[in-house]
Amino acid sequence: MTRFIFVTGGVVSSLGKGLASAALGALLQARGFTVRLRKLDPYLNVDPGTMNPYQHGEVYVTDDGAETDLDLGHYERFTGVPARKSDNVTTGRIYSTVIAKERRGDYLGGTVQVIPHVTDAIKEFVTADTQGADFVLCEIGGTVGDIESLPFLEAIRQLGNELGRDRALYIHLTLIPFIRSAGELKTKPTQHSVKELRSIGIQPDILLCRCDQEIPRGERAKIALFCNVGEDRVIPALDVRSIYEVPLSYHAQGLDVQVLKTFGLGIDGEPDLGRWHDIVERAGGPEGEVSVAVIGKYTGLPDAYKSLSEALDHGGLANNVRVNMDWIDSETFEAGDTVQALENVNGILVPGGFGERGAEGKVAAVAFARQRKVPYFGICFGMQMAVIEAARNLADLPGASSTEFGPCQDPVVGLMSEWMHDGTIERRQVGGDLGGTMRLGAYGATLTPGTRLQGIYRRGDITERHRHRYEVNVNYKERLERAGLRFSAMSPDGTLPEAIELDDHPWFVGVQFHPELKSKPFDPHPLFASFIEAAVRQSRLV
Ligand code: GLN
């Protein structure tokens, strides 16, 4: 029997509902249960794929090719359960399903309404594809009180009745601010948020209270009284030094026990949290540090590269070092001060990106890394920029560029109009819709024997996640190879370059896919482990 845990948030946004859900998922796993985690997003975009990262943060891509909310990355990293298309839905997608049905005449001439048609579609989504999961944790985006999230809240309210109290549980995450001038913790915002939730028919079972200090017993009792929740179900969610401490802290405060009790389940000893203790210890006591410059476009918002910064941290964990990340806007290099900013870093990384703005700055950063023999890791756009740099400066093709930026003399990166996937031809149209027209999700690649890449993966075939429209142009492969650029992985049919590297360099690797999406704290991605290892070696030289 699958049980459902609904996680809502109140008072303010950015309280970390995603991490809270992921941590609870990990705790339940540590007690031997199987979990799935999913998220309902209240905005009208059909998916976050076309949203500016400054609006939404990173777009997380699943194996089955869905462009999803970055919280799915937290879920996957904390639980190891691969996220799927069926784990993230938006109001936009729900409405497009309902409207498509209406056009088909599926409602038999009836009036189509938010209740029951939209709420039914939401409930269908929440309860579908849950086989094998003891618990489904379902996070509702936004903050209680927003107009946008009302249909989702109404749907989970109905589900509570339909599933019954032993199969549905509501957790509400709130904030207990400390007001300095009064010298007091304030419970009123939490009271109001719960009042709002109760006014739409949801009585939370457990309150998770974010606070930057211990919440005294008296305050907990007060919250319990006003919010109609048992005192031991008012759980402090205190600030911690590293995200890996969250499951441990929740357990110490009794969250997992209260969840099981609320469901009427027995408590069978203690959860096995050994690996979480171990990782907190390792993250807390690195033996050294390295600095990595990340040359991107959305460097002002850490969430825009969430999986990347996590994967770099994992690479640090694998090498027992702290990775200091220097987020640099590539446009600054177009003013010509490349050298100064990169002089002292131990590694340079150009991550995924879109559009012409800042691209020349990235090419300049590649040139610096290549010439000065600083470890270089190019991811997706970062590989494409490395190919352009090599074409111009090694293969004597000064007019080399990507057709993403307009027509050019030597399109070493260009649009492929069709490619093979699982035995069928997939096509995309020039000038077609921007949403959902990319090579998305897991694709296989064959590694070239004897390359650095093959040494890192220690295997011949890999599967990695993709999210891009353009490809390195295979017609330039020979010419670039003669100039010294090795093609270290190709698509299984040999038409799409998947990775490149340089021999005469301490570590210079570009990959067309996004390895950061699959890296986990307990299983750092081999490319990140190897890149940071190279950065450690480089740090001993400078
Ligand atoms: N803009 C490039 C493309 O569409 C790279 C995309 C990316 O880095 N994710 O191919």
Side-chain angles (χ1 to χ4, degrees):
M1 177 167 75
T2 302
R3 293 177 170 81
F4 291 82
I5 300 173
F6 299 106
V7 181
T8 56
V11 184
V12 291
S13 58
S14 305
L15 285 181
K17 276 200 305 284
L19 257 182
S21 306
L24 176 57
L27 267 183
L28 291 167
Q29 273 187 329
R31 284 190 172 275
F33 295 105
T34 53
V35 297
R36 282 207 77 72
L37 288 102
R38 44 184 50 166
K39 180 158 189 212
L40 311 176
D41 272 311
Y43 49 77
L44 284 172
N45 305 60
V46 170
D47 62 42
T50 52
M51 268 194 244
N52 182 325
Y54 271 138
Q55 296 268 320
H56 187 269
E58 153 188 288
V59 174
Y60 190 74
V61 180
T62 59
D63 276 336
D64 58 1
E67 297 179 278
T68 71
D69 187 79
L70 59 82
D71 278 332
L72 273 74
H74 289 308
Y75 305 162
E76 205 176 305
R77 285 188 286 273
F78 266 47
T79 65
V81 178
R84 299 190 209 139
K85 203 174 253 172
S86 54
D87 291 327
N88 188 203
V89 83
T90 67
T91 298
R93 186 175 297 281
I94 294 283
Y95 271 83
S96 33
T97 320
V98 171
I99 291 168
K101 273 181 149 183
E102 187 272 334
R103 291 289 82 185
R104 276 202 309 268
D106 289 1
Y107 296 113
L108 302 172
T111 307
V112 182
Q113 296 179 297
V114 174
I115 305 172
H117 302 102
V118 168
T119 47
D120 279 354
I122 296 170
K123 288 191 289 184
E124 220 166 275
F125 170 81
V126 170
T127 52
D129 191 19
T130 58
Q131 304 85 332
D134 296 324
F135 292 98
V136 170
L137 285 87
C138 182
E139 176 189 347
I140 290 86
T143 309
V144 166
D146 297 345
I147 290 176
E148 291 194 313
S149 52
L150 276 175
F152 287 127
L153 296 172
E154 169 59 17
I156 65 166
R157 181 196 69 75
Q158 294 175 16
L159 273 175
N161 282 334
E162 290 163 24
L163 295 164
R165 299 306 296 147
D166 59 341
R167 285 190 63 200
L169 179 150
Y170 302 98
I171 296 182
H172 190 53
L173 183 67
T174 74
L175 175 70
I176 312 285
F178 179 75
I179 304 296
R180 203 171 301 277
S181 57
E184 279 180 13
L185 288 174
K186 290 295 180 189
T187 65
K188 194 77 84 190
T190 296
Q191 294 176 36
H192 277 289
S193 177
V194 172
K195 195 168 148 201
E196 185 79 31
L197 202 53
R198 292 174 67 194
S199 75
I200 47 180
I202 296 176
Q203 166 64 54
D205 298 293
I206 294 176
L207 295 178
L208 253 182
C209 302
R210 282 298 304 270
C211 194
D212 59 9
Q213 52 193 278
E214 294 284 343
I215 307 174
R217 182 94 202 272
E219 304 304 309
R220 286 170 71 173
K222 189 168 163 190
I223 297 169
L225 182 67
F226 281 94
C227 299
N228 195 30
V229 173
E231 202 181 311
D232 43 10
R233 293 184 184 166
V234 178
I235 312 265
L238 305 179
D239 292 356
V240 285
R241 272 172 321 214
S242 105
I243 56 171
Y244 309 122
E245 280 179 52
V246 180
L248 299 174
S249 156
Y250 283 1
H251 173 64
Q253 303 286 357
L255 178 63
D256 47 331
V257 167
Q258 291 307 326
V259 165
L260 297 179
K261 275 191 177 169
T262 312
F263 278 124
L265 294 167
I267 314 295
D268 191 10
E270 283 291 298
D272 178 7
L273 293 170
R275 64 182 196 158
W276 291 97
H277 284 292
D278 171 58
I279 207 155
V280 166
E281 202 170 299
R282 276 196 293 138
E287 285 162 10
E289 53 189 328
V290 293
S291 63
V292 170
V294 182
I295 320 294
K297 188 152 79 170
Y298 307 102
T299 47
L301 179 76
D303 270 2
Y305 300 104
K306 192 71 204 167
S307 295
L308 181 69
S309 61
E310 296 287 318
L312 284 166
D313 276 340
H314 304 162
L317 285 171
N319 290 281
N320 271 323
V321 292
R322 186 200 326 279
V323 179
N324 299 318
M325 295 162 223
D326 209 353
W327 302 91
I328 303 176
D329 180 347
S330 62
E331 278 184 295
T332 58
F333 296 152
E334 289 169 11
D337 55 355
T338 315
V339 182
Q340 273 167 340
L342 297 176
E343 201 69 46
N344 295 314
V345 301
N346 311 124
I348 295 174
L349 191 152
V350 175
F354 291 84
E356 188 168 19
R357 185 166 64 80
E360 286 304 324
K362 294 176 188 177
V363 173
V366 176
F368 180 88
R370 181 175 62 76
Q371 288 157 357
R372 303 285 284 262
K373 305 228 183 289
V374 181
Y376 175 77
F377 195 1
I379 294 181
C380 205
F381 201 63
M383 156 162 160
Q384 297 174 358
M385 296 306 108
V387 168
I388 291 171
E389 198 276 332
R392 289 179 189 170
N393 300 327
L394 295 176
D396 200 19
L397 296 168
S401 190
S402 166
T403 58
E404 183 171 359
F405 315 142
C408 59
Q409 199 181 336
D410 282 296
V412 289
V413 180
L415 203 61
M416 291 282 295
S417 56
E418 55 182 52
W419 67 91
M420 294 292 287
H421 188 213
D422 290 342
T424 55
I425 295 178
E426 292 191 22
R427 293 194 167 80
R428 72 186 130 195
Q429 289 170 337
V430 179
D433 277 357
L434 280 188
T437 56
M438 286 192 267
R439 186 146 80 100
L440 279 170
Y443 282 79
T446 304
L447 305 186
T448 315
T451 54
R452 178 190 296 278
L453 196 74
Q454 202 217 17
I456 292 170
Y457 276 100
R458 296 171 201 253
R459 54 199 297 175
D461 295 298
I462 55 166
T463 301
E464 292 282 4
R465 296 183 195 170
H466 289 245
R467 180 175 184 251
H468 55 104
R469 244 173 232 109
Y470 296 85
E471 307 280 351
V472 169
N473 188 340
V474 71
N475 299 324
Y476 286 89
K477 183 169 182 265
E478 264 173 42
R479 170 110 189 217
L480 289 166
E481 275 180 335
R482 261 185 283 141
L485 193 72
R486 275 239 250 176
F487 284 62
S488 46
M490 298 294 291
S491 60
D493 68 356
T495 59
L496 304 175
E498 290 278 2
I500 53 101
E501 61 186 56
L502 285 176
D503 287 339
D504 182 23
H505 193 282
W507 206 98
F508 190 104
V509 172
V511 293
Q512 187 57 72
F513 42 82
H514 288 276
E516 73 273 23
L517 300 175
K518 294 219 300 197
S519 188
K520 314 254 177 350
F522 303 112
D523 184 15
H525 193 288
L527 277 169
F528 282 90
S530 174
F531 174 57
I532 297 300
E533 191 186 10
V536 171
R537 270 199 306 275
Q538 150 84 19
S539 75
R540 297 203 178 112
L541 300 177
V542 292

